[in-house]
Amino acid sequence: MSSLLNLPAAELVTRLAAGDVTSAALTEECLAAISQRDSSVRAFLNVDVERSLAQARSIDARRAAGESIGILQGLPIAVKDLICEEGVSCTCASRMLENYISPYSAHVIERLRAAGAVLVGRANMDEFAMGSSGENSAFQVTANPWDLERTPGGSSSGSAAAVAGRLTPMSLGSDTGGSIRQPASLCGVVGLKPTYGRVSRYGLVAFASSLDQIGPFASDVHGAALLLEAMAGHDPRDSTSVDRPVPSYTNSLNEPLKGLRIGVAREHFAEGLDDEVAEVVRRALDVYRSLGAELIDIELPHSKYAVAVYYLIAPSEASSNLARYEGIHYGHRTEKAGSLADLYARSRGEAFGTEVKRRIMLGVYALSSGYYDQYYVKALKVRRLIRNDFDAAFAKVDVIAGPVTPSTAFKLGERTSDPMAMYLSDIYTIPANLAGIPGISIPAGLSPSGLPVGLQLQAAPFAEETLLRAARMFEAATDHHRLIPPMARS
Ligand code: GLN
């Protein structure tokens, strides 16, 4: 019998709703897959078998009693280990929070529970979401299910690998500069970063507050639409959460977009993009053309500054957000401290990893009184120009299509000693965070060497409905999302 986990997420939800499969049976399959395969994928930091089975059984009992279950219908989901869940450890893959247990649940966790999700475990990540390969985790290195010697991408490494490795059909990640879309692309799954303000950040451990968004991973576009629908909407506990109705993303998903106008930016095909990625993306554009979409050239002239701007703004915000971890209010406390200042310095020195320290140093430098105007304020101004480019583009087109990341999955260890090479992984994803617009990565096929390549679609603020419909159009025409890594086939 072929495993249920080979089916796309939305089909599983349909089967659960129809009573063809129970949540307990599906959760057991996930737990079995995790025990068989996660010793090689290493997507999970923590799996609570008893708790997830208890959740699943209670959902099944409620369904049997005629209660309505919510749109996720008992589907098992993995959660990136920086989203707080009451009574559960939340390490951010850092020694700093190794022993931290969340005293409350994030807004998205409350929403997921209300929607009938089974939360099976906590997914590995780069420490405090800083990284593009998962190698900055203090605890383990996650492998790409398509090739265990390669990275799944990051920072939502475990969330992407769990879905690609058919360990859970969906997961939650967070995206500050590309951390959902880049690993989704490298792992051949769907990953969506919503508009800034669409999903509450209450209970998300902050990295760079003006850029962070929680978003869904799923094995298909319909699954991502369901998960977004379950989480999106206003939350008064996050002052940047926008009070605006949430459309039913799933209802309109299969209505094809007549005369879809797709913007293609010259800047997305400039130097630095690997030929094999460019080739897959060009073929994807041909698919849209054959479906009746109109391809229109657009310009994003300030996008070339995006990485530089991001590495001023994100570290600046991070240096402030991470100031709370000093061993007293939060986090690891040194055993060797003399003075108070010494306690701060040693606690932070002992528990933060190299990349986190590098970001804090960059941030405090950019914010220091002598350099604030020259670096931080300048970066804010260029950030506005980047947003203006998108506003001008979306006056002419519905979505922008292009690559997600310049290469396919690179070998573990290949970029760890070269931070610039690592930072450039996000060259095509960072602009959406700076501009606050939504973006999605969808499977676009395999490279000649058999590794997944994603297609990125971006849309105007709050145009997730258009984004998902455009993504679904491609998926329905190609079926690349049904490709499963050999190690996960059963
Ligand atoms: N890779 C980028 C960074 O290291 C983006 C991370 C993210 O989106 N959380 O900052």
Side-chain angles (χ1 to χ4, degrees), residues 129-132 155 175-179 207 310-311 359 426:
M130 297 173 189
S132 303
S155 67
D175 191 311
T176 304
S179 280
F207 163 11
Y310 175 86
Y311 279 98
R359 305 285 176 107
D426 298 317

Side-chain angles (χ1 to χ4, degrees), residues 181-197:
R181 290 159 290 156
Q182 183 255 15
S185 176
L186 300 190
C187 287
V189 300
V190 177
L192 185 151
K193 179 200 96 71
T195 305
Y196 186 76

Side-chain angles (χ1 to χ4, degrees), residues 80 82 126 128-133 136 154-156 174-182 207 212 310-311 314 355 359 422-423 425-426 429-430 433:
K80 185 174 180 180
L82 81 175
D126 284 296
F128 285 104
M130 297 173 189
S132 303
S133 67
N136 296 335
S155 67
S156 309
S174 68
D175 191 311
T176 304
S179 280
I180 291 176
R181 290 159 290 156
Q182 183 255 15
F207 163 11
D212 299 339
Y310 175 86
Y311 279 98
E355 186 60 28
R359 305 285 176 107
M422 197 68 100
Y423 293 175
S425 307
D426 298 317
T429 48
I430 282 173
N433 301 79

Side-chain angles (χ1 to χ4, degrees), residues 144 146 184-189 277 280 407-409 443-447 450-454:
N144 189 318
W146 287 91
S185 176
L186 300 190
C187 287
V189 300
V277 174
V280 173
S407 70
T408 53
L446 301 180
S447 70
L451 293 169
V453 178

Side-chain angles (χ1 to χ4, degrees), residues 16-35:
L16 287 164
D20 295 345
V21 57
T22 62
S23 175
L26 186 56
T27 303
E28 273 167 19
E29 278 220 27
C30 288
L31 295 169
I34 292 169
S35 76

Side-chain angles (χ1 to χ4, degrees), residues 198-490:
R198 179 74 294 186
V199 174
S200 169
R201 291 180 295 109
Y202 177 78
L204 166 71
V205 177
F207 163 11
S209 312
S210 78
L211 302 161
D212 299 339
Q213 271 292 288
I214 297 171
F217 284 95
S219 46
D220 62 348
V221 173
H222 194 134
L226 269 170
L227 194 47
L228 179 64
E229 200 171 310
M231 305 191 272
H234 185 234
D235 171 19
R237 296 169 297 185
D238 169 4
S239 61
T240 62
S241 150
V242 176
D243 192 359
R244 192 180 159 122
V246 179
S248 169
Y249 298 116
T250 45
N251 277 353
S252 58
L253 202 58
N254 286 306
E255 291 166 24
L257 288 155
K258 278 203 209 74
L260 178 70
R261 295 167 307 166
I262 299 184
V264 181
R266 185 182 336 124
E267 293 82 0
H268 285 161
F269 296 89
E271 205 194 320
L273 179 64
D274 278 10
D275 289 344
E276 52 177 28
V277 174
E279 179 53 33
V280 173
V281 172
R282 287 212 176 83
R283 278 209 304 272
L285 294 176
D286 288 340
V287 170
Y288 274 111
R289 209 181 272 116
S290 74
L291 294 171
E294 186 187 353
L295 268 54
I296 298 171
D297 288 333
I298 56 153
E299 281 177 27
L300 298 170
H302 296 94
S303 59
K304 59 175 175 289
Y305 304 119
V307 173
V309 166
Y310 175 86
Y311 279 98
L312 289 166
I313 293 176
S316 295
E317 295 185 19
S319 70
S320 167
N321 278 326
L322 271 60
R324 73 191 68 169
Y325 307 107
E326 24 67 316
I328 296 176
H329 294 91
Y330 285 102
H332 164 83
R333 185 184 299 183
T334 183
E335 287 175 357
K336 301 189 206 101
S339 65
L340 182 64
D342 191 39
L343 182 136
Y344 291 161
R346 281 182 190 271
S347 299
R348 291 165 69 81
E350 287 168 12
F352 283 141
T354 311
E355 186 60 28
V356 172
K357 288 177 183 162
R358 182 169 17 239
R359 305 285 176 107
I360 292 172
M361 285 191 280
L362 274 170
V364 291
Y365 183 78
L367 292 176
S368 60
S369 59
Y371 294 105
Y372 182 82
D373 289 321
Q374 195 180 336
Y375 291 126
Y376 182 67
V377 174
K378 186 64 156 276
L380 293 182
K381 290 178 180 167
V382 182
R383 180 177 188 177
R384 166 49 63 179
L385 297 175
I386 290 169
R387 168 65 185 256
N388 291 350
D389 286 353
F390 280 114
D391 288 347
F394 289 124
K396 294 197 291 189
V397 300
D398 304 303
V399 299
I400 297 172
V404 180
T405 184
S407 70
T408 53
F410 44 94
K411 285 246 165 81
L412 289 165
E414 196 179 302
R415 297 189 188 166
T416 37
S417 55
D418 185 351
M420 263 320 280
M422 197 68 100
Y423 293 175
L424 287 171
S425 307
D426 298 317
I427 188 163
Y428 307 122
T429 48
I430 282 173
N433 301 79
L434 292 170
I437 64 170
I440 190 169
S441 173
I442 51 175
L446 301 180
S447 70
S449 45
L451 293 169
V453 178
L455 174 72
Q456 180 173 221
L457 302 174
Q458 301 177 88
F462 297 99
E464 278 85 358
E465 216 180 342
T466 309
L467 196 65
L468 287 159
R469 282 170 68 190
R472 176 60 196 149
M473 237 169 118
F474 180 79
E475 183 183 85
T478 59
D479 264 357
H480 295 309
H481 68 295
R482 291 186 188 270
L483 294 170
I484 294 177
M487 66 108 48
R489 280 177 209 154
S490 51

